[in-house]
Amino acid sequence: MSPTEVLSEAFELGFTYTRSTGPVVGRFLTGLRDRRIEGVRASDGRVIVPPMEYDSDTAAALDDFVEVGQQGEIVSWCWVSEPRRAHPLQQPFAWAMIKLDGADVAMIHCVSAASESQLATGARVKVRWAEETRGHIKDIACFELAEVTQ
Amino acid sequence: MSGLKAMSAQRDIAIVAFHQSDCQASAGATNEVELIMPEIRAVMDQVGLHNAQDVDFVCSGSCDYLQGAAFAFVAGVDALGAVPPIRESHVEMDAAWALYESVLKIRMGHADSALIYGFAKSSPGELPIVLSQQLDPYYLAPLWVDTVSLAAMQARLMLDAGKITEADMAAVVSRSRRNAMNNPHAQLAGDLSVEALLQEAPFVSPLRRHDCSPVSDGASAMIIATVEQAEAWGKPYAILRGIDHRIESHNLCTRDLTDSPSTRRAAEAAGVADGAIDVAELYAPFSHQEIILSRALGLGEGTRVNPSGGVLAGNLMMASGLSRVGEVFQRIVSGEARRGVAHATSGPCLQHNLVAVVEAA
């Protein structure tokens, strides 16, 4: 019997379309590419970062953009001692709700720290930018403690 | 949407049958259809029905992300024997919302009876990571923030605010495990003291592993009908007195995560406060969330909370919410309780909540 010829073809499962992120999410992501962080002012005046397209309470369309700081304060956090394969950091790290200077609503991102004992609610953190920014939430590689030399 | 409360002049709805499978850590090679079929057979037998042709409407709840294929839920219909054609619908949600759709169908006069089922085989995937894909697609899903981590941050907000202690959380788990000893379908049961639980190492700090519901495979099913139809069938039934659901923002940080305003609003619309509550079954996938829900529902000393053990003892994704209603139904029909509240949740940190009031006929 002759050896069987196995037919094969590369296959990539993917979505073959692109989608516009629009004037609010798109503006935020473009800002990240330029290493700026912008939020939006809600109907009640609070600054929400990342910006939302519509106000949760009034449903008003939001377009009053405000640049906020690249440092902030931890509002809540948890310690991931065993990172999952999908997680952005593969060393033990924290997820945190971080209220950036000039913002009224926290944002969720990861915090790189050497150990759980370095972290606390109220701790100051600062952005660590990715080496290459491309207009994506992961342009913020992570946050790190602002007042600890690692 | 206004609450479907006490529309007694129109069409009172009776819960007539319910059954749930065991919560298994892994169903092995058993597929979803094979998980559903015994549950459907069980509720059919409780009423004395032959097959899906004997009810006017069928509605299911499941999540294609758990099977990892678009329209995977359609295969579940194989469990029904849908020939000749039946009237059938599906929600990409917990089957508690399939119950809600069925209630609407009956209230509108488009059906007199309905079969509802929910199912999931969560074990093949990494459930907390799969569920991260229900989050904001630009800001959160690309980070793969898992559901356990989100709940852990919620727990810390409560701990920091002095609204709970770690001992309060352990007490919820201790009671769940003990109650589950009387639940043959439970996955985790045992007599564990608060002190022993607090000795355990952190998992995703401040949560310990026992603060999180386990990953479970299984299904549950229910039959509801108009009271007239239930009387005609001649089986014991309970009345679904009210049902309502409310949702909060997808932006977790704009919410007060130490409270559940959507649960409170759903409870008001469903008429929870209209009478004493003997029993409550709450869909709290994390220990601290049971405390948030009990407070939002205004439950007091006179209410037995999660006598089944709740979902900390076994969590059938897409079926656990329906099962909460079923557990209350069973306790009412058995005479253990006169009036009860069932709750279902969906989304991260109790984002979306459904509340149902079930009463003795």
Side-chain angles (χ1 to χ4, degrees):
Chain A
M1 230 171 105
S2 63
T4 309
E5 188 191 355
V6 179
L7 297 174
S8 71
E9 178 63 47
F11 174 73
E12 188 186 340
L13 176 64
F15 299 102
T16 56
Y17 57 83
T18 55
R19 179 152 49 144
S20 164
T21 49
V24 176
V25 177
R27 179 166 169 158
F28 171 76
L29 296 176
T30 303
L32 294 184
R33 190 190 62 194
D34 300 336
R35 304 188 180 215
R36 286 185 298 109
I37 303 176
E38 281 191 298
V40 74
R41 206 175 285 284
S43 302
D44 61 4
R46 291 187 305 165
V47 174
I48 302 174
V49 185
M52 294 176 76
E53 293 167 310
Y54 298 95
D55 189 282
S56 299
D57 297 321
T58 66
L62 303 177
D63 60 2
D64 183 8
F65 292 91
V66 181
E67 183 169 355
V68 298
Q70 302 195 2
Q71 291 200 11
E73 182 184 306
I74 292 180
V75 174
S76 187
W77 58 284
C78 65
W79 185 250
V80 182
S81 53
E82 292 172 33
R84 295 172 183 272
R85 209 171 40 167
H87 280 163
L89 300 173
Q90 292 301 300
Q91 296 294 318
F93 72 98
W95 290 110
M97 296 177 173
I98 299 156
K99 190 151 78 177
L100 293 171
D101 297 339
D104 296 295
V105 174
M107 68 179 286
I108 293 172
H109 215 294
C110 53
V111 177
S112 173
S115 71
E116 183 176 3
S117 60
Q118 291 193 329
L119 287 166
T121 303
R124 298 279 302 166
V125 291
K126 62 182 183 195
V127 171
R128 184 201 296 167
W129 293 102
E131 283 181 19
E132 197 180 331
T133 54
R134 59 190 178 98
H136 190 274
I137 190 66
K138 289 173 100 171
D139 288 350
I140 297 174
C142 62
F143 284 79
E144 54 196 8
L145 290 158
E147 285 144 15
V148 173
T149 44
Q150 294 186 51
Chain B
M1 184 184 298
S2 64
L4 299 174
K5 173 188 165 187
M7 300 170 77
S8 51
Q10 298 168 38
R11 293 164 73 87
D12 263 352
I13 296 202
I15 302 174
V16 187
F18 170 73
H19 199 269
Q20 186 205 287
S21 70
D22 291 347
C23 294
Q24 301 180 71
S26 171
T30 304
N31 67 28
E32 283 81 355
V33 173
E34 292 165 334
L35 289 174
I36 300 163
M37 287 184 76
E39 305 318 306
I40 291 182
R41 186 70 264 150
V43 291
M44 290 285 172
D45 287 347
Q46 284 176 31
V47 183
L49 302 179
H50 184 56
N51 59 32
Q53 305 295 330
D54 296 338
V55 289
D56 296 336
F57 182 60
V58 181
C59 198
S60 59
S62 70
C63 176
D64 284 356
Y65 277 70
L66 297 173
Q67 279 159 286
F71 289 90
F73 71 91
V74 176
V77 178
D78 279 352
L80 298 169
V83 177
I86 57 172
R87 286 196 289 169
E88 187 269 342
S89 183
H90 174 263
V91 293
E92 189 75 10
M93 309 173 85
D94 187 286
W97 278 269
L99 167 65
Y100 189 87
E101 180 175 336
S102 302
V103 168
L104 294 180
K105 201 88 172 168
I106 294 178
R107 292 245 197 259
M108 289 188 294
H110 294 174
D112 288 337
S113 58
L115 165 67
I116 300 128
Y117 63 96
F119 61 98
K121 214 178 146 180
S122 303
S123 65
E126 190 180 355
L127 184 61
I129 288 294
V130 172
L131 292 176
S132 75
Q133 298 309 289
Q134 73 187 327
L135 302 171
D136 183 298
Y138 303 109
Y139 299 156
L140 292 177
L143 298 174
W144 302 90
V145 193
D146 60 279
T147 40
V148 176
S149 296
L150 293 173
M153 288 192 276
Q154 180 183 35
R156 191 181 301 279
L157 285 168
M158 296 199 67
L159 291 164
D160 284 350
K163 293 192 173 190
I164 54 167
T165 64
E166 292 192 23
D168 293 336
M169 295 164 67
V172 169
V173 178
S174 175
R175 177 167 41 75
S176 161
R177 293 283 197 279
R178 205 173 320 113
N179 287 349
M181 291 167 77
N182 298 315
N183 179 355
H185 303 302
Q187 187 175 331
L188 301 173
D191 195 359
L192 296 163
S193 69
V194 168
E195 294 70 30
L197 289 167
L198 288 174
Q199 292 300 314
E200 286 187 25
F203 174 39
V204 178
S205 166
L207 296 182
R208 294 176 173 83
R209 206 171 280 273
H210 60 242
D211 289 311
C212 314
S213 54
V215 173
S216 317
D217 296 344
S220 67
M222 177 179 282
I223 291 175
I224 65 170
T226 59
V227 165
E228 293 72 22
Q229 179 63 70
E231 292 283 352
W233 282 334
K235 302 292 178 188
Y237 60 87
I239 301 289
L240 182 63
R241 186 61 69 196
I243 185 167
D244 193 84
H245 69 109
R246 304 285 164 146
I247 195 166
E248 295 173 43
S249 171
H250 69 281
N251 186 336
L252 284 130
C253 295
T254 60
R255 294 170 47 196
D256 178 0
L257 295 176
T258 68
D259 187 13
S260 185
S262 54
T263 297
R264 191 177 299 108
R265 291 177 71 178
E268 282 167 14
V272 169
D274 293 349
I277 305 156
D278 303 325
V279 63
E281 281 282 342
L282 311 180
Y283 193 164
F286 299 91
S287 60
H288 63 279
Q289 294 178 345
E290 189 187 292
I291 300 171
I292 295 174
L293 292 168
S294 293
R295 290 175 183 170
L297 289 164
L299 303 182
E301 293 291 313
T303 304
R304 276 189 83 197
V305 176
N306 286 344
S308 71
V311 300
L312 290 175
N315 183 19
L316 300 177
M317 292 302 297
M318 320 321 285
S320 276
L322 181 68
S323 289
R324 306 278 66 72
V325 184
E327 289 284 348
V328 172
F329 154 76
Q330 286 179 331
R331 283 185 161 70
I332 286 174
V333 162
S334 73
E336 240 180 86
R338 294 280 306 162
R339 188 168 187 272
V341 169
H343 158 269
T345 198
S346 178
C349 298
L350 304 173
Q351 184 193 6
H352 190 181
N353 296 288
L354 178 147
V355 175
V357 176
V358 185
E359 294 179 356

